[in-house]
Amino acid sequence: FLEPAVEPPAGAAPSAALEAVRSAAALPAALRLAIARGHLSLAFQPIRRCGDGSLVSVEALLRWEDPDRGPVPPDTFIPVAEETGLIIQIGAWVLRRACETAVRAGGEWRIAVNISPVQFQQPDLAGMVANILRETGLPPGRLALELTEQIPLLRFPRAREAVRRLQAMGVQVALDDFGSGFSNIACLREFRFDLVKLDRSILALPPAQRGTVLTALLAVSQSFGLKVVVEGVETTEDWGMLQALGADYAQGYLLGRPAADLALAVPDAFPGQPLAPCSSPAGAFP
Ligand code: C2E
Ligand code: MG
Ligand code: MG
Ligand code: MG
């Protein structure tokens, strides 16, 4: 039966657990304020070709810097944005800002933008994307959208039609975080993705399993005709293994950390500017 609630003595400091609950309950209101006050921003991280390390695309990652809380991680606030529906408005802003940034930098690389499954609840996601492409002047061939299966995509009947329309426009569509959560073979079959991104939890497996699991997932993805990005490449050993196993593309701290300034995060994103030699002790670029 229910334990009697233990009341803290009057005047006692609230427990850490209670504080955490209060802080979580305050997140929706704090997120609304963050939007109104312009506390959301983007960080940029390169995705590179396994052969020569050349730039393929740049992922835009949402950041929330709260004056009281400090940085709030996306894994904390994206679910809040999804539950409140704020992700519709935030997602449109991210897309517009990302496209503007890619147009300003120029070049041939794609800008990769994460799309929440909840965004498919809006009546015309493909039309919204088309409008933003037209207004910012980004060619559709320079946009990639990354879809995660946090909420199984197949439950959203509009998703398949929207993905088909986006691809018909020339937008690339990637399945993100494959190998974690709900990712399944049915999803690869039902959606004709262009690209699959293997979750970074795979490179974090113990060495005995890492190579085997990676080989299997590469084979599955490539059997569907999909190019593969491996996420979470942090060491030269990881990078060497991907080359040996035939992965197409890679993303991770070794190849470039996310940063707000595109020119710092991805020095080779600007055409005509040679890649600055990177000789940091961490060996940021192999
Ligand atoms: P994601 O789309 O899988 O993005 C990659 C995540 O891995 C990013 O985390 C990135 O900072 C991190 N990462 C990259 N390389 C490495 C590495 O070598 N090691 C490690 N440990 N981590 C690495 P971040 O920025 O915290 O974003 C987390 C997730 O939040 C994203 O995962 C994505 O699902 C979601 N997210 C971020 N921005 C947006 C957005 O604008 N819209 C939506 N709907 N979701 C977003
Ligand atoms: Mg992503
Ligand atoms: Mg991912
Ligand atoms: Mg991920």
Side-chain angles (χ1 to χ4, degrees):
F1 199 61
L2 290 177
E3 294 285 321
V6 180
E7 292 284 333
S15 73
L18 192 57
E19 271 306 304
V21 168
R22 277 195 190 131
S23 159
L27 272 177
L31 182 56
R32 281 194 184 86
L33 263 184
I35 295 169
R37 294 183 176 167
H39 293 162
L40 299 185
S41 62
L42 294 184
F44 300 96
Q45 187 184 30
I47 298 171
R48 299 191 176 279
R49 200 177 309 278
C50 280
D52 58 2
S54 62
L55 184 65
V56 175
S57 47
V58 174
E59 182 169 7
L61 294 161
L62 193 55
R63 293 291 177 259
W64 172 7
E65 183 68 36
D66 188 272
D68 302 323
R69 298 160 198 263
V72 185
D75 290 334
T76 302
F77 73 83
I78 297 287
V80 174
E82 290 175 336
E83 281 152 25
T84 53
L86 289 169
I87 193 70
I88 304 282
Q89 178 190 347
I90 294 173
W93 176 83
V94 168
L95 183 65
R96 183 178 300 276
R97 177 57 60 89
C99 291
E100 285 168 359
T101 305
V103 167
R104 225 179 304 128
E108 304 280 299
W109 48 270
R110 291 174 199 266
I111 184 83
V113 177
N114 292 286
I115 299 287
S116 159
V118 175
Q119 290 177 264
F120 286 103
Q121 285 172 357
Q122 61 190 295
D124 187 15
L125 179 69
M128 183 274 262
V129 173
N131 284 339
I132 290 180
L133 286 171
R134 202 184 48 246
E135 287 160 20
T136 59
L138 187 76
R142 285 197 63 202
L143 179 63
L145 299 178
E146 299 190 355
L147 315 188
T148 336
E149 269 194 300
Q150 287 314 316
I151 305 166
L153 269 179
L154 294 170
R155 280 200 214 139
F156 291 86
R158 280 198 193 114
R160 225 170 314 188
E161 175 58 16
V163 164
R164 208 194 48 70
R165 278 182 57 205
L166 288 162
Q167 289 175 318
M169 284 158 46
V171 174
Q172 190 183 60
V173 181
L175 179 61
D176 206 348
D177 302 327
F178 193 67
S180 74
F182 292 97
S183 308
N184 61 49
I185 306 271
C187 190
L188 288 184
R189 192 187 56 225
E190 296 295 324
F191 289 80
R192 301 187 158 262
F193 294 105
D194 301 288
L195 198 80
V196 54
K197 298 185 76 175
L198 301 188
D199 193 70
R200 70 181 144 87
S201 58
I202 293 156
L203 282 183
L205 287 169
Q209 287 156 28
R210 197 168 40 198
T212 315
V213 172
L214 200 55
T215 304
L217 289 178
L218 280 170
V220 167
S221 307
Q222 290 170 344
S223 78
F224 283 91
L226 299 164
K227 297 279 191 197
V228 182
V229 181
V230 180
E231 300 185 301
V233 177
E234 294 184 357
T235 66
T236 48
E237 190 204 344
D238 293 340
W239 179 239
M241 181 171 61
L242 298 189
Q243 321 269 359
L245 294 180
D248 300 284
Y249 313 121
Q251 178 178 7
Y253 295 162
L254 179 76
L255 306 169
R257 285 184 176 259
D261 184 345
L262 179 63
L264 285 181
V266 194
D268 51 335
F270 296 85
Q273 291 187 358
L275 178 58
C278 188
S279 54
S280 71
F285 191 77

